[in-house]
Amino acid sequence: VQLQASGGGLVQAGGSLRLSCTASGRTSSNYAVGWFRLAPGQEREFVATISRNGYTTYYADFVKGRFTISRDNSRNTVNLQMNSLKPEDTAVYYCAADNTVYTSAASTDQLQYDYWGQGTLVTVSS
């Protein structure tokens, strides 16, 4: 499966962005999908994940209440709605797909993910 992340850009603190991850080559319903981010000088970290059937979601503590992950399997798309953005949210955001057989499983461990998109840059100005 190929993943295409989009929707990044420059936004002021307190603003919103919506990232999208579109899958091709195989239907996205076969995968749990996670979002991770990589900020300058830091290690890549988990942001949010959603199970194949959309019933299970997990969020990193630092985005709870601000970010919402959702999926539309009919469009092979997983979205990450980001509200109340902060300068510390500045990073390259990557989506990744986990080829799990469990429809309600979602992992926060990036080592579980089999496929990765190219990333989209989010810059939040203060």
Side-chain angles (χ1 to χ4, degrees):
V1 65
Q2 293 80 43
L3 302 175
Q4 179 74 39
S6 62
L10 173 64
V11 65
Q12 289 188 333
S16 298
L17 282 174
R18 187 188 195 202
L19 306 185
S20 293
C21 179
T22 302
S24 61
R26 198 175 177 193
T27 57
S28 66
S29 61
N30 291 307
Y31 303 91
V33 175
W35 284 96
F36 299 82
R37 70 186 188 185
L38 179 62
Q42 299 186 21
E43 295 185 351
R44 188 167 60 189
E45 60 183 354
F46 165 75
V47 176
T49 183
I50 188 167
S51 61
R52 288 173 54 185
N53 58 14
Y55 292 166
T56 303
T57 58
Y58 295 118
Y59 296 91
D61 288 343
F62 53 78
V63 303
K64 283 182 180 177
R66 300 189 298 125
F67 292 10
T68 302
I69 190 170
S70 62
R71 69 188 301 154
D72 183 349
N73 286 339
S74 67
R75 298 187 177 187
N76 284 341
T77 299
V78 172
N79 297 310
L80 184 68
Q81 178 66 41
M82 306 188 297
N83 299 328
S84 303
L85 283 161
K86 305 174 182 180
E88 51 263 44
D89 293 318
T90 294
V92 177
Y93 284 72
Y94 298 88
C95 62
D98 175 8
N99 190 20
T100 177
V101 298
Y102 303 107
T103 57
S104 295
S107 176
T108 63
D109 182 0
Q110 56 188 293
L111 296 179
Q112 294 294 321
Y113 289 81
D114 306 290
Y115 305 96
W116 292 79
Q118 86 291 356
T120 185
L121 176 63
V122 172
T123 304
V124 184
S125 63
S126 57

mmCIF file of all heavy atoms in Angstrom, residues 63-113:
data_model
loop_
_atom_site.group_PDB
_atom_site.id
_atom_site.type_symbol
_atom_site.label_atom_id
_atom_site.label_comp_id
_atom_site.label_asym_id
_atom_site.label_seq_id
_atom_site.Cartn_x
_atom_site.Cartn_y
_atom_site.Cartn_z
ATOM 1 N N VAL A 63 -1.789 15.756 22.901
ATOM 2 C CA VAL A 63 -2.775 16.195 21.903
ATOM 3 C C VAL A 63 -4.204 15.902 22.322
ATOM 4 O O VAL A 63 -5.144 16.292 21.618
ATOM 5 C CB VAL A 63 -2.512 15.578 20.513
ATOM 6 C CG1 VAL A 63 -1.111 15.920 20.043
ATOM 7 C CG2 VAL A 63 -2.770 14.081 20.505
ATOM 8 N N LYS A 64 -4.379 15.238 23.435
ATOM 9 C CA LYS A 64 -5.738 14.907 23.882
ATOM 10 C C LYS A 64 -6.571 16.171 24.071
ATOM 11 O O LYS A 64 -6.128 17.133 24.676
ATOM 12 C CB LYS A 64 -5.676 14.113 25.186
ATOM 13 C CG LYS A 64 -5.287 12.665 25.002
ATOM 14 C CD LYS A 64 -5.286 11.920 26.326
ATOM 15 C CE LYS A 64 -4.894 10.466 26.142
ATOM 16 N NZ LYS A 64 -4.828 9.736 27.434
ATOM 17 N N GLY A 65 -7.768 16.116 23.523
ATOM 18 C CA GLY A 65 -8.661 17.259 23.604
ATOM 19 C C GLY A 65 -8.451 18.294 22.519
ATOM 20 O O GLY A 65 -9.269 19.205 22.361
ATOM 21 N N ARG A 66 -7.365 18.152 21.765
ATOM 22 C CA ARG A 66 -7.085 19.112 20.679
ATOM 23 C C ARG A 66 -7.128 18.453 19.312
ATOM 24 O O ARG A 66 -7.569 19.078 18.341
ATOM 25 C CB ARG A 66 -5.704 19.748 20.894
ATOM 26 C CG ARG A 66 -5.554 20.501 22.183
ATOM 27 C CD ARG A 66 -4.240 21.282 22.218
ATOM 28 N NE ARG A 66 -3.070 20.438 22.136
ATOM 29 C CZ ARG A 66 -2.096 20.575 21.223
ATOM 30 N NH1 ARG A 66 -2.170 21.529 20.316
ATOM 31 N NH2 ARG A 66 -1.054 19.764 21.232
ATOM 32 N N PHE A 67 -6.672 17.217 19.202
ATOM 33 C CA PHE A 67 -6.621 16.511 17.925
ATOM 34 C C PHE A 67 -7.677 15.411 17.900
ATOM 35 O O PHE A 67 -7.972 14.791 18.930
ATOM 36 C CB PHE A 67 -5.256 15.865 17.717
ATOM 37 C CG PHE A 67 -4.114 16.820 17.504
ATOM 38 C CD1 PHE A 67 -4.244 18.189 17.688
ATOM 39 C CD2 PHE A 67 -2.877 16.322 17.108
ATOM 40 C CE1 PHE A 67 -3.179 19.050 17.495
ATOM 41 C CE2 PHE A 67 -1.792 17.176 16.909
ATOM 42 C CZ PHE A 67 -1.949 18.536 17.112
ATOM 43 N N THR A 68 -8.212 15.163 16.714
ATOM 44 C CA THR A 68 -9.178 14.089 16.530
ATOM 45 C C THR A 68 -8.824 13.307 15.273
ATOM 46 O O THR A 68 -8.670 13.899 14.203
ATOM 47 C CB THR A 68 -10.605 14.632 16.400
ATOM 48 O OG1 THR A 68 -10.934 15.389 17.566
ATOM 49 C CG2 THR A 68 -11.602 13.483 16.251
ATOM 50 N N ILE A 69 -8.701 11.995 15.428
ATOM 51 C CA ILE A 69 -8.426 11.134 14.286
ATOM 52 C C ILE A 69 -9.720 10.454 13.862
ATOM 53 O O ILE A 69 -10.544 10.076 14.693
ATOM 54 C CB ILE A 69 -7.328 10.094 14.620
ATOM 55 C CG1 ILE A 69 -6.856 9.366 13.367
ATOM 56 C CG2 ILE A 69 -7.789 9.117 15.700
ATOM 57 C CD1 ILE A 69 -5.609 8.514 13.597
ATOM 58 N N SER A 70 -9.905 10.334 12.552
ATOM 59 C CA SER A 70 -11.102 9.690 12.025
ATOM 60 C C SER A 70 -10.744 9.032 10.700
ATOM 61 O O SER A 70 -9.696 9.308 10.123
ATOM 62 C CB SER A 70 -12.222 10.713 11.826
ATOM 63 O OG SER A 70 -11.835 11.693 10.873
ATOM 64 N N ARG A 71 -11.637 8.167 10.233
ATOM 65 C CA ARG A 71 -11.361 7.514 8.960
ATOM 66 C C ARG A 71 -12.640 7.365 8.160
ATOM 67 O O ARG A 71 -13.738 7.233 8.708
ATOM 68 C CB ARG A 71 -10.694 6.165 9.173
ATOM 69 C CG ARG A 71 -11.516 5.071 9.788
ATOM 70 C CD ARG A 71 -10.622 3.851 10.109
ATOM 71 N NE ARG A 71 -9.976 3.352 8.906
ATOM 72 C CZ ARG A 71 -8.824 2.674 8.904
ATOM 73 N NH1 ARG A 71 -8.200 2.414 10.045
ATOM 74 N NH2 ARG A 71 -8.297 2.249 7.772
ATOM 75 N N ASP A 72 -12.448 7.375 6.843
ATOM 76 C CA ASP A 72 -13.529 7.132 5.891
ATOM 77 C C ASP A 72 -13.025 6.033 4.968
ATOM 78 O O ASP A 72 -12.319 6.301 3.987
ATOM 79 C CB ASP A 72 -13.846 8.417 5.125
ATOM 80 C CG ASP A 72 -15.008 8.256 4.169
ATOM 81 O OD1 ASP A 72 -15.427 7.095 3.938
ATOM 82 O OD2 ASP A 72 -15.494 9.257 3.661
ATOM 83 N N ASN A 73 -13.375 4.804 5.287
ATOM 84 C CA ASN A 73 -12.864 3.677 4.503
ATOM 85 C C ASN A 73 -13.400 3.676 3.079
ATOM 86 O O ASN A 73 -12.773 3.104 2.185
ATOM 87 C CB ASN A 73 -13.174 2.361 5.212
ATOM 88 C CG ASN A 73 -12.278 2.135 6.422
ATOM 89 O OD1 ASN A 73 -11.205 2.724 6.534
ATOM 90 N ND2 ASN A 73 -12.723 1.299 7.337
ATOM 91 N N SER A 74 -14.538 4.290 2.861
ATOM 92 C CA SER A 74 -15.077 4.362 1.499
ATOM 93 C C SER A 74 -14.199 5.237 0.607
ATOM 94 O O SER A 74 -14.217 5.093 -0.616
ATOM 95 C CB SER A 74 -16.509 4.891 1.517
ATOM 96 O OG SER A 74 -16.532 6.251 1.931
ATOM 97 N N ARG A 75 -13.424 6.128 1.231
ATOM 98 C CA ARG A 75 -12.524 7.012 0.486
ATOM 99 C C ARG A 75 -11.064 6.679 0.737
ATOM 100 O O ARG A 75 -10.184 7.424 0.301
ATOM 101 C CB ARG A 75 -12.792 8.466 0.850
ATOM 102 C CG ARG A 75 -14.194 8.935 0.500
ATOM 103 C CD ARG A 75 -14.374 10.427 0.711
ATOM 104 N NE ARG A 75 -15.700 10.868 0.293
ATOM 105 C CZ ARG A 75 -16.086 12.133 0.238
ATOM 106 N NH1 ARG A 75 -15.249 13.090 0.576
ATOM 107 N NH2 ARG A 75 -17.299 12.435 -0.153
ATOM 108 N N ASN A 76 -10.814 5.577 1.455
ATOM 109 C CA ASN A 76 -9.431 5.167 1.767
ATOM 110 C C ASN A 76 -8.638 6.289 2.418
ATOM 111 O O ASN A 76 -7.450 6.486 2.123
ATOM 112 C CB ASN A 76 -8.702 4.708 0.508
ATOM 113 C CG ASN A 76 -9.129 3.323 0.069
ATOM 114 O OD1 ASN A 76 -9.689 2.566 0.852
ATOM 115 N ND2 ASN A 76 -8.877 3.005 -1.186
ATOM 116 N N THR A 77 -9.297 7.011 3.326
ATOM 117 C CA THR A 77 -8.677 8.194 3.917
ATOM 118 C C THR A 77 -8.787 8.175 5.430
ATOM 119 O O THR A 77 -9.826 7.793 5.976
ATOM 120 C CB THR A 77 -9.337 9.470 3.369
ATOM 121 O OG1 THR A 77 -9.161 9.514 1.960
ATOM 122 C CG2 THR A 77 -8.713 10.712 3.975
ATOM 123 N N VAL A 78 -7.713 8.595 6.080
ATOM 124 C CA VAL A 78 -7.702 8.832 7.517
ATOM 125 C C VAL A 78 -7.327 10.293 7.732
ATOM 126 O O VAL A 78 -6.365 10.776 7.141
ATOM 127 C CB VAL A 78 -6.701 7.916 8.234
ATOM 128 C CG1 VAL A 78 -6.554 8.314 9.699
ATOM 129 C CG2 VAL A 78 -7.139 6.464 8.124
ATOM 130 N N ASN A 79 -8.111 10.969 8.555
ATOM 131 C CA ASN A 79 -7.896 12.391 8.793
ATOM 132 C C ASN A 79 -7.434 12.644 10.218
ATOM 133 O O ASN A 79 -7.798 11.905 11.145
ATOM 134 C CB ASN A 79 -9.182 13.168 8.538
ATOM 135 C CG ASN A 79 -9.634 13.070 7.101
ATOM 136 O OD1 ASN A 79 -8.853 13.289 6.182
ATOM 137 N ND2 ASN A 79 -10.896 12.734 6.897
ATOM 138 N N LEU A 80 -6.671 13.698 10.377
ATOM 139 C CA LEU A 80 -6.261 14.160 11.693
ATOM 140 C C LEU A 80 -6.631 15.635 11.786
ATOM 141 O O LEU A 80 -5.993 16.479 11.156
ATOM 142 C CB LEU A 80 -4.762 13.970 11.909
ATOM 143 C CG LEU A 80 -4.258 14.343 13.311
ATOM 144 C CD1 LEU A 80 -4.795 13.350 14.351
ATOM 145 C CD2 LEU A 80 -2.728 14.371 13.350
ATOM 146 N N GLN A 81 -7.697 15.903 12.524
ATOM 147 C CA GLN A 81 -8.122 17.277 12.745
ATOM 148 C C GLN A 81 -7.348 17.830 13.930
ATOM 149 O O GLN A 81 -7.416 17.286 15.032
ATOM 150 C CB GLN A 81 -9.621 17.327 13.022
ATOM 151 C CG GLN A 81 -10.151 18.721 13.315
ATOM 152 C CD GLN A 81 -10.059 19.638 12.117
ATOM 153 O OE1 GLN A 81 -10.330 19.223 10.994
ATOM 154 N NE2 GLN A 81 -9.648 20.886 12.336
ATOM 155 N N MET A 82 -6.622 18.912 13.689
ATOM 156 C CA MET A 82 -5.764 19.498 14.720
ATOM 157 C C MET A 82 -6.276 20.892 15.053
ATOM 158 O O MET A 82 -6.260 21.787 14.197
ATOM 159 C CB MET A 82 -4.317 19.555 14.233
ATOM 160 C CG MET A 82 -3.772 18.211 13.748
ATOM 161 S SD MET A 82 -2.007 18.233 13.404
ATOM 162 C CE MET A 82 -1.957 19.425 12.076
ATOM 163 N N ASN A 83 -6.725 21.067 16.262
ATOM 164 C CA ASN A 83 -7.231 22.356 16.738
ATOM 165 C C ASN A 83 -6.335 22.892 17.841
ATOM 166 O O ASN A 83 -5.535 22.155 18.427
ATOM 167 C CB ASN A 83 -8.662 22.206 17.251
ATOM 168 C CG ASN A 83 -9.619 21.742 16.176
ATOM 169 O OD1 ASN A 83 -9.463 22.056 15.001
ATOM 170 N ND2 ASN A 83 -10.632 20.975 16.581
ATOM 171 N N SER A 84 -6.495 24.163 18.135
ATOM 172 C CA SER A 84 -5.734 24.808 19.217
ATOM 173 C C SER A 84 -4.246 24.509 19.092
ATOM 174 O O SER A 84 -3.582 24.138 20.068
ATOM 175 C CB SER A 84 -6.256 24.341 20.578
ATOM 176 O OG SER A 84 -7.631 24.614 20.717
ATOM 177 N N LEU A 85 -3.728 24.694 17.906
ATOM 178 C CA LEU A 85 -2.337 24.351 17.654
ATOM 179 C C LEU A 85 -1.392 25.255 18.428
ATOM 180 O O LEU A 85 -1.672 26.437 18.659
ATOM 181 C CB LEU A 85 -2.044 24.428 16.159
ATOM 182 C CG LEU A 85 -2.571 23.227 15.355
ATOM 183 C CD1 LEU A 85 -2.663 23.550 13.878
ATOM 184 C CD2 LEU A 85 -1.689 22.016 15.583
ATOM 185 N N LYS A 86 -0.268 24.657 18.828
ATOM 186 C CA LYS A 86 0.746 25.347 19.594
ATOM 187 C C LYS A 86 2.063 25.344 18.811
ATOM 188 O O LYS A 86 2.283 24.442 17.986
ATOM 189 C CB LYS A 86 0.957 24.641 20.934
ATOM 190 C CG LYS A 86 -0.299 24.472 21.760
ATOM 191 C CD LYS A 86 -0.014 23.638 22.999
ATOM 192 C CE LYS A 86 -1.271 23.422 23.826
ATOM 193 N NZ LYS A 86 -0.999 22.613 25.050
ATOM 194 N N PRO A 87 2.945 26.278 19.080
ATOM 195 C CA PRO A 87 4.248 26.265 18.387
ATOM 196 C C PRO A 87 4.993 24.941 18.562
ATOM 197 O O PRO A 87 5.684 24.496 17.631
ATOM 198 C CB PRO A 87 4.989 27.424 19.050
ATOM 199 C CG PRO A 87 3.911 28.375 19.445
ATOM 200 C CD PRO A 87 2.768 27.493 19.880
ATOM 201 N N GLU A 88 4.821 24.287 19.693
ATOM 202 C CA GLU A 88 5.504 23.012 19.918
ATOM 203 C C GLU A 88 4.914 21.866 19.099
ATOM 204 O O GLU A 88 5.456 20.756 19.105
ATOM 205 C CB GLU A 88 5.506 22.649 21.407
ATOM 206 C CG GLU A 88 4.147 22.706 22.075
ATOM 207 C CD GLU A 88 3.911 24.017 22.804
ATOM 208 O OE1 GLU A 88 4.231 25.088 22.231
ATOM 209 O OE2 GLU A 88 3.371 23.968 23.927
ATOM 210 N N ASP A 89 3.813 22.114 18.395
ATOM 211 C CA ASP A 89 3.272 21.110 17.473
ATOM 212 C C ASP A 89 3.985 21.146 16.117
ATOM 213 O O ASP A 89 3.712 20.299 15.254
ATOM 214 C CB ASP A 89 1.776 21.332 17.247
ATOM 215 C CG ASP A 89 0.951 21.080 18.493
ATOM 216 O OD1 ASP A 89 1.234 20.086 19.201
ATOM 217 O OD2 ASP A 89 0.023 21.863 18.760
ATOM 218 N N THR A 90 4.873 22.098 15.929
ATOM 219 C CA THR A 90 5.614 22.194 14.683
ATOM 220 C C THR A 90 6.452 20.944 14.464
ATOM 221 O O THR A 90 7.249 20.558 15.327
ATOM 222 C CB THR A 90 6.520 23.430 14.700
ATOM 223 O OG1 THR A 90 5.709 24.603 14.726
ATOM 224 C CG2 THR A 90 7.415 23.469 13.469
ATOM 225 N N ALA A 91 6.242 20.301 13.314
ATOM 226 C CA ALA A 91 6.928 19.041 13.019
ATOM 227 C C ALA A 91 6.525 18.571 11.633
ATOM 228 O O ALA A 91 5.579 19.098 11.035
ATOM 229 C CB ALA A 91 6.559 17.973 14.046
ATOM 230 N N VAL A 92 7.230 17.566 11.148
ATOM 231 C CA VAL A 92 6.771 16.821 9.979
ATOM 232 C C VAL A 92 5.890 15.685 10.491
ATOM 233 O O VAL A 92 6.315 14.901 11.349
ATOM 234 C CB VAL A 92 7.942 16.265 9.153
ATOM 235 C CG1 VAL A 92 7.421 15.437 7.985
ATOM 236 C CG2 VAL A 92 8.826 17.408 8.656
ATOM 237 N N TYR A 93 4.693 15.617 9.964
ATOM 238 C CA TYR A 93 3.727 14.607 10.386
ATOM 239 C C TYR A 93 3.678 13.492 9.351
ATOM 240 O O TYR A 93 3.526 13.747 8.155
ATOM 241 C CB TYR A 93 2.347 15.241 10.563
ATOM 242 C CG TYR A 93 2.239 16.045 11.832
ATOM 243 C CD1 TYR A 93 2.896 17.271 11.951
ATOM 244 C CD2 TYR A 93 1.510 15.591 12.926
ATOM 245 C CE1 TYR A 93 2.824 18.016 13.126
ATOM 246 C CE2 TYR A 93 1.431 16.321 14.094
ATOM 247 C CZ TYR A 93 2.089 17.527 14.189
ATOM 248 O OH TYR A 93 2.016 18.250 15.355
ATOM 249 N N TYR A 94 3.786 12.272 9.850
ATOM 250 C CA TYR A 94 3.772 11.095 9.004
ATOM 251 C C TYR A 94 2.579 10.211 9.342
ATOM 252 O O TYR A 94 2.253 10.040 10.514
ATOM 253 C CB TYR A 94 5.034 10.262 9.219
ATOM 254 C CG TYR A 94 6.328 10.958 8.872
ATOM 255 C CD1 TYR A 94 6.999 11.725 9.812
ATOM 256 C CD2 TYR A 94 6.880 10.830 7.603
ATOM 257 C CE1 TYR A 94 8.195 12.365 9.501
ATOM 258 C CE2 TYR A 94 8.071 11.458 7.278
ATOM 259 C CZ TYR A 94 8.711 12.227 8.228
ATOM 260 O OH TYR A 94 9.895 12.848 7.907
ATOM 261 N N CYS A 95 1.954 9.661 8.308
ATOM 262 C CA CYS A 95 0.972 8.618 8.562
ATOM 263 C C CYS A 95 1.599 7.269 8.232
ATOM 264 O O CYS A 95 2.510 7.176 7.402
ATOM 265 C CB CYS A 95 -0.308 8.838 7.766
ATOM 266 S SG CYS A 95 -0.146 8.810 5.975
ATOM 267 N N ALA A 96 1.114 6.255 8.912
ATOM 268 C CA ALA A 96 1.659 4.919 8.753
ATOM 269 C C ALA A 96 0.541 3.892 8.864
ATOM 270 O O ALA A 96 -0.467 4.140 9.542
ATOM 271 C CB ALA A 96 2.727 4.660 9.817
ATOM 272 N N ALA A 97 0.723 2.764 8.216
ATOM 273 C CA ALA A 97 -0.295 1.721 8.186
ATOM 274 C C ALA A 97 0.238 0.447 8.826
ATOM 275 O O ALA A 97 1.360 0.015 8.542
ATOM 276 C CB ALA A 97 -0.723 1.450 6.748
ATOM 277 N N ASP A 98 -0.579 -0.129 9.677
ATOM 278 C CA ASP A 98 -0.269 -1.381 10.364
ATOM 279 C C ASP A 98 -1.137 -2.481 9.780
ATOM 280 O O ASP A 98 -2.366 -2.429 9.905
ATOM 281 C CB ASP A 98 -0.541 -1.209 11.866
ATOM 282 C CG ASP A 98 -0.363 -2.496 12.650
ATOM 283 O OD1 ASP A 98 0.115 -3.502 12.086
ATOM 284 O OD2 ASP A 98 -0.703 -2.493 13.852
ATOM 285 N N ASN A 99 -0.501 -3.475 9.181
ATOM 286 C CA ASN A 99 -1.214 -4.560 8.515
ATOM 287 C C ASN A 99 -1.663 -5.605 9.543
ATOM 288 O O ASN A 99 -1.309 -6.778 9.454
ATOM 289 C CB ASN A 99 -0.307 -5.192 7.462
ATOM 290 C CG ASN A 99 -1.047 -6.161 6.577
ATOM 291 O OD1 ASN A 99 -2.263 -6.114 6.488
ATOM 292 N ND2 ASN A 99 -0.303 -7.046 5.932
ATOM 293 N N THR A 100 -2.442 -5.161 10.510
ATOM 294 C CA THR A 100 -2.908 -6.046 11.568
ATOM 295 C C THR A 100 -4.140 -6.827 11.118
ATOM 296 O O THR A 100 -4.940 -6.336 10.326
ATOM 297 C CB THR A 100 -3.244 -5.255 12.835
ATOM 298 O OG1 THR A 100 -3.760 -6.147 13.826
ATOM 299 C CG2 THR A 100 -4.282 -4.180 12.551
ATOM 300 N N VAL A 101 -4.285 -8.030 11.631
ATOM 301 C CA VAL A 101 -5.458 -8.839 11.290
ATOM 302 C C VAL A 101 -6.639 -8.508 12.202
ATOM 303 O O VAL A 101 -7.769 -8.915 11.936
ATOM 304 C CB VAL A 101 -5.148 -10.346 11.388
ATOM 305 C CG1 VAL A 101 -4.045 -10.726 10.399
ATOM 306 C CG2 VAL A 101 -4.756 -10.741 12.803
ATOM 307 N N TYR A 102 -6.361 -7.755 13.256
ATOM 308 C CA TYR A 102 -7.393 -7.441 14.240
ATOM 309 C C TYR A 102 -8.087 -6.136 13.896
ATOM 310 O O TYR A 102 -7.457 -5.083 13.841
ATOM 311 C CB TYR A 102 -6.788 -7.376 15.641
ATOM 312 C CG TYR A 102 -6.089 -8.648 16.028
ATOM 313 C CD1 TYR A 102 -4.702 -8.718 16.082
ATOM 314 C CD2 TYR A 102 -6.812 -9.802 16.319
ATOM 315 C CE1 TYR A 102 -4.057 -9.895 16.418
ATOM 316 C CE2 TYR A 102 -6.173 -10.982 16.661
ATOM 317 C CZ TYR A 102 -4.796 -11.018 16.702
ATOM 318 O OH TYR A 102 -4.167 -12.185 17.039
ATOM 319 N N THR A 103 -9.380 -6.184 13.692
ATOM 320 C CA THR A 103 -10.101 -5.013 13.201
ATOM 321 C C THR A 103 -10.239 -3.910 14.242
ATOM 322 O O THR A 103 -10.435 -2.747 13.878
ATOM 323 C CB THR A 103 -11.500 -5.409 12.713
ATOM 324 O OG1 THR A 103 -12.200 -6.060 13.776
ATOM 325 C CG2 THR A 103 -11.416 -6.352 11.517
ATOM 326 N N SER A 104 -10.123 -4.261 15.522
ATOM 327 C CA SER A 104 -10.273 -3.256 16.576
ATOM 328 C C SER A 104 -8.961 -2.881 17.240
ATOM 329 O O SER A 104 -8.960 -2.147 18.229
ATOM 330 C CB SER A 104 -11.243 -3.757 17.646
ATOM 331 O OG SER A 104 -12.536 -3.917 17.125
ATOM 332 N N ALA A 105 -7.862 -3.358 16.695
ATOM 333 C CA ALA A 105 -6.554 -3.085 17.301
ATOM 334 C C ALA A 105 -5.945 -1.813 16.736
ATOM 335 O O ALA A 105 -6.108 -1.507 15.555
ATOM 336 C CB ALA A 105 -5.605 -4.252 17.067
ATOM 337 N N ALA A 106 -5.234 -1.101 17.603
ATOM 338 C CA ALA A 106 -4.509 0.089 17.171
ATOM 339 C C ALA A 106 -3.300 0.227 18.073
ATOM 340 O O ALA A 106 -3.440 0.199 19.298
ATOM 341 C CB ALA A 106 -5.396 1.330 17.268
ATOM 342 N N SER A 107 -2.152 0.388 17.487
ATOM 343 C CA SER A 107 -0.919 0.401 18.252
ATOM 344 C C SER A 107 -0.316 1.805 18.320
ATOM 345 O O SER A 107 -0.344 2.561 17.349
ATOM 346 C CB SER A 107 0.107 -0.556 17.627
ATOM 347 O OG SER A 107 1.336 -0.477 18.312
ATOM 348 N N THR A 108 0.261 2.117 19.484
ATOM 349 C CA THR A 108 0.994 3.371 19.643
ATOM 350 C C THR A 108 2.480 3.194 19.342
ATOM 351 O O THR A 108 3.230 4.165 19.369
ATOM 352 C CB THR A 108 0.824 3.910 21.065
ATOM 353 O OG1 THR A 108 1.402 2.973 21.997
ATOM 354 C CG2 THR A 108 -0.643 4.118 21.412
ATOM 355 N N ASP A 109 2.892 1.957 19.069
ATOM 356 C CA ASP A 109 4.298 1.625 18.836
ATOM 357 C C ASP A 109 4.618 1.725 17.349
ATOM 358 O O ASP A 109 4.106 0.940 16.550
ATOM 359 C CB ASP A 109 4.578 0.214 19.345
ATOM 360 C CG ASP A 109 6.028 -0.194 19.189
ATOM 361 O OD1 ASP A 109 6.829 0.614 18.689
ATOM 362 O OD2 ASP A 109 6.351 -1.327 19.580
ATOM 363 N N GLN A 110 5.475 2.661 16.994
ATOM 364 C CA GLN A 110 5.768 2.855 15.577
ATOM 365 C C GLN A 110 6.435 1.640 14.954
ATOM 366 O O GLN A 110 6.367 1.472 13.734
ATOM 367 C CB GLN A 110 6.626 4.092 15.365
ATOM 368 C CG GLN A 110 7.925 4.150 16.128
ATOM 369 C CD GLN A 110 8.576 5.507 15.962
ATOM 370 O OE1 GLN A 110 9.003 5.882 14.884
ATOM 371 N NE2 GLN A 110 8.640 6.262 17.057
ATOM 372 N N LEU A 111 7.025 0.768 15.749
ATOM 373 C CA LEU A 111 7.651 -0.438 15.202
ATOM 374 C C LEU A 111 6.616 -1.419 14.661
ATOM 375 O O LEU A 111 6.960 -2.338 13.915
ATOM 376 C CB LEU A 111 8.507 -1.114 16.274
ATOM 377 C CG LEU A 111 9.705 -0.318 16.769
ATOM 378 C CD1 LEU A 111 10.442 -1.091 17.856
ATOM 379 C CD2 LEU A 111 10.658 0.019 15.615
ATOM 380 N N GLN A 112 5.350 -1.251 15.056
ATOM 381 C CA GLN A 112 4.287 -2.129 14.574
ATOM 382 C C GLN A 112 3.839 -1.771 13.160
ATOM 383 O O GLN A 112 3.131 -2.553 12.528
ATOM 384 C CB GLN A 112 3.092 -2.054 15.513
ATOM 385 C CG GLN A 112 3.353 -2.601 16.899
ATOM 386 C CD GLN A 112 3.619 -4.091 16.882
ATOM 387 O OE1 GLN A 112 2.995 -4.843 16.139
ATOM 388 N NE2 GLN A 112 4.565 -4.534 17.689
ATOM 389 N N TYR A 113 4.240 -0.617 12.671
ATOM 390 C CA TYR A 113 3.718 -0.122 11.405
ATOM 391 C C TYR A 113 4.579 -0.575 10.239
ATOM 392 O O TYR A 113 5.812 -0.515 10.291
ATOM 393 C CB TYR A 113 3.577 1.391 11.465
ATOM 394 C CG TYR A 113 2.437 1.787 12.368
ATOM 395 C CD1 TYR A 113 2.604 1.829 13.754
ATOM 396 C CD2 TYR A 113 1.175 2.047 11.866
ATOM 397 C CE1 TYR A 113 1.548 2.127 14.597
ATOM 398 C CE2 TYR A 113 0.113 2.362 12.692
ATOM 399 C CZ TYR A 113 0.301 2.399 14.065
ATOM 400 O OH TYR A 113 -0.750 2.689 14.886
#
